[in-house]
Amino acid sequence: MKWALSILFAVSSAAHAEEVSPTTPSTTTTAVIQSTPEKVEEVAPAEATQVTSVPAVKKDFPQFEFTSYGYISFSQGETFKTVQNLEPIVRRSMDLAEFAFEGEYHLNDSAKVEFEVEIEHGGVGTTVEFDPFEEFGEFEQEIEKGGEVVLKEIYYKKDFNKTNTTLKIGKFPLFISLGTVLSKPHRYPTILASDLEARMIPLGWTETGVSVEQKYRGFTGRLSLVNGLNSEFFRSYSWVGGGYQRHFENMNADNLATVASIEWGSVAKGTGVAIAQYVGDTTDNRYKVDKLKVPGEVRITTVMGNYKWNGFGIAAEYIEGSLTNADKVSAANATLGGLAKPKAFAPLGSKARLESVQLSYDWAAPGLTFYVKAEHVNTFADVMGNITKNPRYDVSRRSGGFMWMWDTAAFMKVQYSRDKTELQGLPETYQANVAFGFDLSAFEK
């Protein structure tokens, strides 16, 4: 990691100079008037004083700006009583899914502090839930289930205008997938930007560290050094997604990770494509340090794009990931006890893949966007050692629906999906969702 730290320091140091605008003094234009006892006559002076008057504009800092979004969802779909059952049952649910408040403190014209606070599922509290994926179905008590309040991101951002360089220090979103780039609800018509990302990587992935961003002729390069994942919480159903360190008060940072990307245009605004890669070991971030002595490096490579033209849009991504010594990580996790015990979900694939393609059309007059989407994820694309492939986690999803926006920032999203796994005998299931919400950032368009 020393080379990454050296690059970050060198780039940020080279971009330290800022332009200072001189203050223009305020002057006035005057005219000369002469008078005599007999008559009053306006005389045009030969040398009238003509000086442009430009009052100095002084900004008061700090300045505060904010935006907000949130939505509530209604769903009906098929699920299974336990992991052993093959007969689906229909369940319905309502969820105050998310309310987010984003703020910016502008310290001066080139520096600010950004933060985002999320209230998920209506708030915080201790609840009892039923987990159908345990061996026989089981009631569990969760400390942060039923909702939570999360400081999702907070970071200092400095723009070096002379070199088109940006520095970020703090907790910020990783530029690694459509789910982390398309963070505003009005930018995507589906309920979530990517429905299946959570089965492979952390959903809405943010990490703490330092990042440098450089723009050049339509291209944007990013290099970040952040804290790594913890492999103790890798699971069959979410691959490395559970390793996102939000379970404890502190984040273990014995293993750091690098995130590098190159973007052309703007993926977030529907005019760009990008390639990104995440690399980081996870073994030293484990709490039970004696259970695993070999590297557990996670490598994730993403190619993604989001482009809109004359109402037509396409958003697509391909994510490929690898986990070194996946069989040994699985074996070490299987011996964990208490709340960290994975039970039947300890086995991990050494490779995972996700493909997603969405086609859409914006009907501007009524504010409607129609879409169809195809996704596929397989977290057991390859295995090693005594781990066997589990076809239950080879999932394909087909979905379609629409988003209707009115009053600029209010929206309704309707989505119907069908899921199919490669496990023989497991029937195809459906999911129907309706979401109502608002996104104040839509006023910025």
Side-chain angles (χ1 to χ4, degrees):
M1 296 301 173
K2 293 183 179 179
W3 65 269
L5 285 169
S6 301
I7 293 176
L8 289 172
F9 179 77
V11 174
S12 58
S13 299
H16 74 282
E18 285 290 326
E19 294 185 64
V20 180
S21 300
T23 303
T24 303
S26 178
T27 58
T28 57
T29 300
T30 60
V32 179
I33 307 294
Q34 293 181 341
S35 62
T36 64
E38 294 79 19
K39 63 180 178 179
V40 177
E41 180 181 20
E42 181 175 345
V43 179
E47 296 181 3
T49 304
Q50 293 287 341
V51 181
T52 303
S53 177
V54 181
V57 179
K58 181 180 180 181
K59 294 183 180 180
D60 293 327
F61 292 103
Q63 295 180 346
F64 180 73
E65 298 178 356
F66 78 92
T67 187
S68 181
Y69 65 86
Y71 68 95
I72 183 173
S73 65
F74 309 85
S75 64
Q76 174 178 305
E78 292 176 314
T79 186
F80 300 92
K81 293 180 180 179
T82 68
V83 73
Q84 286 87 8
N85 288 107
L86 299 180
E87 288 295 329
I89 60 174
V90 177
R91 301 302 303 266
R92 301 181 184 90
S93 66
M94 300 174 62
D95 184 16
L96 184 55
E98 184 179 12
F99 172 79
F101 179 87
E102 299 180 2
E104 296 183 359
Y105 279 103
H106 292 263
L107 308 180
N108 51 50
D109 287 329
S110 62
K112 60 183 177 180
V113 175
E114 296 187 23
F115 67 89
E116 178 179 344
V117 177
E118 285 189 358
I119 301 175
E120 300 178 355
H121 312 294
V124 298
T126 301
T127 64
V128 175
E129 67 173 9
F130 178 72
D131 188 352
F133 291 104
E134 296 293 344
E135 283 82 349
F136 301 101
E138 191 174 288
F139 289 95
E140 296 180 347
Q141 189 174 31
E142 297 286 344
I143 299 300
E144 290 184 337
K145 191 58 181 175
E148 57 183 333
V149 177
V150 181
L151 184 60
K152 188 174 182 179
E153 57 187 69
I154 178 168
Y155 57 90
Y156 167 81
K157 181 179 180 181
K158 178 71 172 179
D159 292 322
F160 300 94
N161 298 322
K162 292 181 69 175
T163 57
N164 287 328
T165 306
T166 299
L167 173 68
K168 293 181 182 179
I169 302 175
K171 186 176 184 181
F172 46 82
L174 299 188
F175 194 93
I176 195 62
S177 69
L178 289 179
T180 59
V181 176
L182 303 180
S183 57
K184 301 296 187 294
H186 80 276
R187 294 194 183 278
Y188 52 89
T190 50
I191 304 295
L192 297 174
S194 178
D195 294 325
L196 297 185
E197 277 186 17
R199 301 192 183 208
M200 181 175 171
I201 62 175
L203 183 64
W205 199 351
T206 61
E207 293 288 11
T208 302
V210 58
S211 177
V212 173
E213 177 181 301
Q214 180 65 53
K215 296 181 182 295
Y216 180 74
R217 294 188 177 181
F219 289 88
T220 303
R222 299 175 180 88
L223 179 62
S224 305
L225 183 66
V226 298
N227 65 285
L229 300 172
N230 180 351
S231 61
E232 285 173 310
F233 296 93
F234 292 174
R235 298 293 182 264
S236 302
Y237 49 81
S238 59
W239 202 52
V240 302
Y244 182 31
Q245 297 191 60
R246 53 188 297 177
H247 308 86
F248 300 92
E249 293 180 348
N250 300 316
M251 294 170 290
N252 294 336
D254 295 287
N255 283 141
L256 301 179
T258 57
V259 188
S261 65
I262 297 177
E263 178 187 27
W264 178 77
S266 174
V267 175
K269 296 180 180 180
T271 59
V273 295
I275 182 170
Q277 187 174 72
Y278 171 100
V279 181
D281 200 356
T282 61
T283 298
D284 292 339
N285 286 339
R286 298 170 67 93
Y287 284 89
K288 299 285 188 176
V289 294
D290 296 330
K291 287 186 176 290
L292 187 65
K293 295 296 185 180
V294 296
E297 184 185 81
V298 173
R299 184 180 296 267
I300 298 171
T301 304
T302 303
V303 179
M304 56 183 160
N306 182 30
Y307 210 86
K308 296 181 180 180
W309 180 76
N310 285 347
F312 292 95
I314 179 171
E317 67 178 342
Y318 174 78
I319 305 177
E320 181 171 293
S322 63
L323 172 62
T324 60
N325 298 304
D327 55 335
K328 294 179 175 59
V329 175
S330 302
N333 289 350
T335 64
L336 296 173
L339 294 175
K341 187 175 180 62
K343 299 183 180 180
F345 304 108
L348 299 166
S350 60
K351 288 187 178 180
R353 296 188 182 94
L354 182 146
E355 305 98 16
S356 174
V357 178
Q358 174 185 289
L359 302 176
S360 63
Y361 179 74
D362 294 335
W363 189 7
L368 287 168
T369 300
F370 299 93
Y371 69 91
V372 291
K373 190 172 187 177
E375 295 178 280
H376 171 254
V377 64
N378 183 7
T379 54
F380 284 84
D382 199 3
V383 294
M384 59 174 51
N386 60 352
I387 304 296
T388 58
K389 292 185 178 182
N390 192 334
R392 186 164 194 147
Y393 302 106
D394 188 349
V395 182
S396 297
R397 171 172 291 188
R398 303 292 182 268
S399 58
F402 66 88
M403 176 178 69
W404 176 34
M405 296 202 69
W406 70 94
D407 292 340
T408 305
F411 65 79
M412 178 179 71
K413 297 183 179 185
V414 177
Q415 180 172 328
Y416 179 82
S417 307
R418 297 196 69 88
D419 288 0
K420 185 180 184 305
T421 74
E422 296 302 313
L423 180 63
Q424 289 188 350
L426 191 68
E428 189 173 318
T429 58
Y430 80 90
Q431 189 82 18
N433 302 85
V434 179
F436 295 90
F438 68 95
D439 184 2
L440 299 185
S441 65
F443 283 99
E444 301 172 7
K445 292 190 299 183

